[in-house]
Amino acid sequence: MSTETGPERDAAQLQDDDDAALGALGYRPELKRTLGNFHTFAAGISYISILTGTFQLFYFGVTFGGPAYWWSWPMVFVGQLMVALCFCELAARYPVAGSVYNWAKQLGGKHVGWLGGWMMLTATMVSLAAVALAYQITLPQISDGFQFIGDGSGTTDAAKNAVLLGTVLILFTTLVNAYGVKLMARINSAGVMIELIAAVVLIVLLAANITRGPSAVTETGGLGAGQNLGYFGAFLTASLASAYVMYGFDTASSLGEESLDPSRNAPRAILRALFFSFLLGGLILLFALLAVPDLHAKELSVDGLQYVVLSTLGDTMGEIVLWCVVVAITVCELAVHAAGIRLAFAMARDNCLPASSLLARVSPRFQTPVVPAIVIGLVGVGILVININQPQIFSVITSIAIIMIYVAYLLVTVPMLIKRLRGQWVPVRGKFSLGRFGLPVNILAVLWGAAMSLNLAWPRAEVYNATGPQHWYLRWGAFLFVGVVALGGFTYYWFVQRHKTGVLEEHRAAVAAPESA
């Protein structure tokens, strides 16, 4: 007979219910449930990381869309909100690690699930390297002492130094994630608190230094003149700066097996992460455009938001803000790495990857999958090395990684829409549900995902071949690279791995209920 009373009994019962929900999907509980509401929210918002994304990509938006590019931020938010709402219903029904993979598997079958997981896993490893490059954009502006290789004036000084700084960051996230989710969550939560406070302070400081009216965000700078689509074409290019930031909110659900009451908390965390990212990021971008001393300064298209902060707030306050950006980059990298680990673990547990039994092994000491943490870290460093003498190729791969995440999201929302149209989708009673709005929201999520994927992949020279010499394979890099990753990976799966798939014996629930349709 249990001696637990009150809150202790309620917590124990809640964990039993969570474990039972996991058992219904065929898996036995192995990861330790220690994460609360704020931890899951922090995981989602740190993956999006408004300070990392805005400081890394502000220059791109201004360069190709002028101040009016700001309107792409609410546009992307509305589109991604449709996707997030669909994910909330799924998070309530399937509170399981490797969210996108498992959702696609439950909705579209194991083949669709594998492809969605493979696309997401590949993109996550590239994103790990891409986020690490943000150190180079920020640290040398704080102090020349962070330019360890050359003085920054050499042709490859910045690229080589970026690899060095990025490698140090990936080594740090590998060690933290391998040590255990509790340490990762503590560091991540502390970092997110610093990031949120810094974002609010930055908004207030920029607002106090406004030099022009809101009409500034209607200025196009004559961009798009002479193009077939006029400014709309330029705006679509500039919108990539927003599309590259506002994703990864599903991470809040990917930690479902390590969270308390995930079927209720994950949907809330997803929406909160997306909403606060939109609100704070949008205000930072707006007030930056209204406060910068010269809206037409060439530094805006080179140093971006870092220039705005230093020129508007002065060196001392500007450097404090930039140090907060460094913290944001660090916790963003932690969240990206953590999401990749859970995705690899989930796929390996179903014997969907080479050496699955090793990748799915949970360390009895650290209670986390250690091998995926190390493997993903090594792959991230390997991808970084490409940047040393081929930064143009790296920018292509980085852009394509974002496309693969949008495609992976489509491999969830499209099968979900098919289920709805067939009358086969029923949300969990008493949990998050869109009700009668489910179908229109799902349709909009699919249309948005398809349109933005096409926009991201469009063979623009300024995105895929920004500097000479011009190469057709770079211009069409999105279609070529995504095609190779998807077809090559699926070919391997079809002829080798699919014959072996199924929950590994050591991870199987004692009595597995049939999977939900």
Side-chain angles (χ1 to χ4, degrees):
M1 181 180 293
S2 173
T3 59
E4 295 176 331
T5 59
E8 290 181 355
R9 182 177 60 190
D10 293 342
Q13 182 60 51
L14 194 59
Q15 180 160 332
D16 289 342
D17 292 343
D18 293 339
D19 291 345
L22 184 62
L25 295 173
Y27 307 115
R28 69 181 182 87
E30 299 174 81
L31 305 176
K32 190 174 181 180
R33 294 190 184 276
T34 58
L35 306 183
N37 289 346
F38 187 79
H39 293 127
T40 51
F41 162 73
I45 202 168
S46 61
Y47 195 121
I48 299 173
S49 190
I50 46 175
L51 290 186
T52 301
T54 54
F55 274 80
Q56 196 171 14
L57 293 160
F58 178 81
Y59 84 93
F60 184 92
V62 172
T63 298
F64 295 107
Y69 110 89
W70 181 86
W71 293 100
S72 68
W73 191 258
M75 179 191 76
V76 171
F77 167 71
V78 172
Q80 292 296 73
L81 178 62
M82 300 300 104
V83 178
L85 288 170
C86 292
F87 283 7
C88 286
E89 280 197 334
L90 289 163
R93 184 167 182 176
Y94 305 117
V96 62
S99 50
V100 167
Y101 159 69
N102 271 304
W103 295 342
K105 183 184 72 173
Q106 294 291 334
L107 294 168
K110 62 180 183 179
H111 303 329
V112 174
W114 189 92
L115 184 59
W118 170 246
M119 298 288 277
M120 194 73 182
L121 183 60
T122 305
T124 298
M125 291 188 289
V126 178
S127 296
L128 190 72
V131 172
L133 286 179
Y135 262 8
Q136 178 63 27
I137 299 175
T138 305
L139 283 172
Q141 293 212 41
I142 296 174
S143 171
D144 292 337
F146 288 108
Q147 184 65 43
F148 296 104
I149 300 176
D151 59 4
S153 61
T155 307
T156 60
D157 285 358
K160 290 178 179 178
N161 201 66
V163 171
L164 176 61
L165 295 176
T167 299
V168 172
L169 177 56
I170 291 177
L171 176 62
F172 170 75
T173 61
T174 300
L175 292 173
V176 171
N177 275 295
Y179 189 80
V181 71
K182 198 168 185 179
L183 176 62
M184 185 280 294
R186 284 177 175 173
I187 295 174
N188 191 56
S189 296
V192 165
M193 282 300 298
I194 293 172
E195 181 175 6
L196 292 176
I197 293 171
V200 172
V201 171
L202 178 58
I203 289 168
V204 172
L205 292 175
L206 289 173
N209 287 275
I210 287 178
T211 60
R212 60 185 61 82
S215 61
V217 294
T218 63
E219 292 188 25
T220 63
L223 296 166
Q227 295 184 18
N228 292 334
L229 296 177
Y231 180 72
F232 182 64
F235 178 79
L236 288 178
T237 301
S239 70
L240 270 58
S242 299
Y244 283 0
V245 178
M246 229 176 294
Y247 66 92
F249 38 81
D250 58 289
T251 306
S253 177
S254 201
L255 296 171
E257 293 180 39
E258 294 149 284
S259 305
L260 301 171
D261 199 8
S263 61
R264 292 188 184 277
N265 291 334
R268 298 171 187 168
I270 289 172
L271 291 180
R272 287 170 182 167
L274 184 60
F275 175 76
F276 279 104
S277 296
F278 159 70
L279 179 64
L280 297 177
L283 290 175
I284 289 172
L285 295 174
L286 174 62
F287 290 141
L289 291 168
L290 302 184
V292 64
D294 182 1
L295 198 57
H296 305 288
K298 65 178 182 180
E299 289 86 353
L300 272 180
S301 298
V302 178
D303 298 324
L305 208 48
Q306 287 85 338
Y307 162 73
V308 177
V309 168
L310 292 172
S311 63
T312 304
L313 307 182
D315 291 341
T316 302
M317 184 56 69
E319 286 182 9
I320 292 174
V321 172
L322 292 185
W323 272 116
C324 293
V325 173
V326 172
V327 172
I329 294 168
T330 304
V331 295
C332 177
E333 189 81 340
L334 268 176
V336 172
H337 205 151
I341 292 167
R342 274 71 195 169
L343 183 56
F345 167 75
M347 294 185 71
R349 183 170 56 183
D350 283 351
N351 202 21
C352 286
L353 297 173
S356 283
S357 59
L358 186 61
L359 289 170
R361 182 176 180 270
V362 176
S363 168
R365 178 181 177 186
F366 301 115
Q367 295 183 299
T368 195
V370 173
V371 175
I374 296 171
V375 170
I376 291 172
L378 290 174
V379 173
V381 172
I383 295 171
L384 268 182
V385 173
I386 298 174
N387 192 57
I388 292 179
N389 292 315
Q390 298 291 341
Q392 189 166 265
I393 292 178
F394 188 87
S395 66
V396 172
I397 296 175
T398 302
S399 300
I400 291 166
I402 313 301
I403 300 170
M404 289 195 293
I405 290 175
Y406 276 75
V407 171
Y409 285 180
L410 275 172
L411 289 170
V412 173
T413 55
V414 170
M416 189 179 196
L417 178 58
I418 293 172
K419 288 274 189 183
R420 287 187 194 278
L421 292 173
R422 292 176 176 174
Q424 297 173 338
W425 174 254
V426 180
V428 179
R429 182 174 296 178
K431 304 292 177 66
F432 186 94
S433 172
L434 292 172
R436 65 179 182 274
F437 297 106
L439 181 60
V441 166
N442 204 157
I443 291 172
L444 290 173
V446 170
L447 292 175
W448 162 257
M452 186 49 71
S453 296
L454 182 61
N455 184 38
L456 287 163
W458 200 257
R460 301 178 176 92
E462 54 266 37
V463 176
Y464 295 105
N465 208 158
T467 59
Q470 299 295 310
H471 299 290
W472 69 269
Y473 53 84
L474 290 179
R475 286 283 296 273
W476 292 88
F479 294 95
L480 292 172
F481 192 89
V482 173
V484 168
V485 170
L487 293 177
F490 198 76
T491 298
Y492 162 80
Y493 164 77
W494 189 260
F495 289 105
V496 179
Q497 205 66 40
R498 76 182 176 99
H499 303 292
K500 308 174 185 177
T501 57
V503 182
L504 295 173
E505 182 63 35
E506 60 269 30
H507 301 279
R508 190 175 300 159
V511 179
E515 291 184 350
S516 301

